Amino acid sequence: MATRKRQLTTKSDKSTRIYYPTKHPENHINPRRNQIKQLYKATETYRERAILSLFYGCGLRRTEGEKLNIKDIHFRNNLLYVREGKNKKRRAIPISQQVKTDLQNYIYKERKGEDQAVILNQIGRRMRGDAYNKILKNIIVKSNVSHLESDISLHCLRHSIATHLLESGLSVEYVRDFLGHKNLESTQVYTRVNKGQLYKLSTL
């Protein structure tokens, strides 16, 4: 469904406009840091932790997670490669030590199957989006996290990591590259930004 857009003009330069969807990103349900920790604690398998680490820790889109193959993860260099993101854009994502550990535990200790995909289903084949969402919902139920509704999606995890990276002081440019956005305006849409960051976006 097409999203109707409106424009924002900053006081510093009335000719500079940032476009963003009418539906504000804060309308999404996005886990806070402490809630993310509770989701991790609620996991019972290496696969569940790996899924959280891909979609929160690496900020992957659902389709990117589906397409991810074993060869796309370079543990030696601490990098995960998205070979074909949105608009066929490629990017390299640095992975933290915790994400690295979560993925290695799943791949080397629990994963069973001949498929080249990273995350496999119960019969050893590439896992698809609906299955990912079912696992996420199950983790939420087990976590008993208050104020987290059952309709939280994988995209909410992506939104959360973007917000948390900005809150930690990382630059808008870094978060743009991390998420695989083409334009800075897209990063502004999917992260909560304060007035200072919004001004920075408008003057770049």
Side-chain angles (χ1 to χ4, degrees):
M1 179 183 295
T3 303
R4 181 169 59 86
K5 295 183 178 180
R6 54 194 177 92
Q7 62 188 31
L8 172 67
T9 303
T10 63
K11 292 182 180 179
S12 61
D13 184 356
K14 293 184 178 180
S15 65
T16 303
R17 295 179 175 84
I18 297 175
Y19 291 89
Y20 59 101
T22 301
K23 184 176 181 180
H24 197 276
E26 291 185 0
N27 290 332
H28 294 292
I29 303 166
N30 304 296
R32 298 186 295 274
R33 291 175 186 268
N34 65 316
Q35 293 174 324
I36 290 292
K37 290 181 180 179
Q38 287 178 263
L39 293 180
Y40 271 96
K41 288 182 179 179
T43 58
E44 297 177 334
T45 67
Y46 289 132
R47 186 176 67 173
E48 289 179 342
R49 284 192 67 92
I51 288 173
L52 290 181
S53 287
L54 287 177
F55 294 100
Y56 173 76
C58 298
L60 297 188
R61 298 180 177 92
R62 189 179 79 169
T63 54
E64 293 171 349
E66 291 177 348
K67 295 177 180 178
L68 191 68
N69 293 322
I70 293 291
K71 66 179 182 180
D72 298 330
I73 303 176
H74 293 204
F75 289 123
R76 179 176 297 179
N77 298 321
N78 297 320
L79 289 173
L80 181 152
Y81 291 92
V82 175
R83 307 290 181 182
E84 187 176 341
K86 190 174 182 180
N87 299 318
K88 297 184 178 181
K89 187 175 181 179
R90 298 162 58 95
R91 71 183 187 279
I93 300 172
I95 58 177
S96 68
Q97 182 58 49
Q98 186 58 62
V99 169
K100 179 178 180 179
T101 298
D102 290 340
L103 295 178
Q104 287 179 324
N105 281 339
Y106 168 66
I107 291 172
Y108 299 129
K109 297 180 181 179
E110 189 177 87
R111 180 182 177 278
K112 296 180 181 179
E114 299 296 327
D115 199 294
Q116 62 182 339
V118 173
I119 305 294
L120 303 181
N121 59 23
Q122 298 291 2
I123 59 175
R125 295 179 181 175
R126 185 181 299 271
M127 184 175 288
R128 300 300 178 183
D130 289 343
Y132 280 113
N133 279 317
K134 288 180 180 178
I135 290 175
L136 176 59
K137 292 181 189 301
N138 185 48
I139 295 173
I140 294 171
V141 170
K142 291 187 295 183
S143 71
N144 292 317
V145 176
S146 59
H147 309 303
L148 269 190
E149 300 178 21
S150 60
D151 60 347
I152 185 176
S153 66
L154 296 170
H155 187 74
C156 294
L157 299 181
R158 173 177 160 86
H159 186 156
S160 287
I161 185 61
T163 302
H164 298 162
L165 288 175
L166 279 180
E167 289 175 348
S168 297
L170 293 177
S171 70
V172 177
E173 295 89 347
Y174 176 90
V175 178
R176 174 197 60 190
D177 294 339
F178 181 84
L179 295 176
H181 285 159
K182 182 178 180 181
N183 302 308
L184 283 169
E185 289 86 346
S186 298
T187 309
Q188 186 267 326
V189 169
Y190 292 103
T191 57
R192 294 190 180 93
V193 294
N194 59 35
K195 292 182 179 179
Q197 290 169 321
L198 184 59
Y199 175 76
K200 180 178 180 181
L201 279 170
S202 69
T203 55
L204 288 172

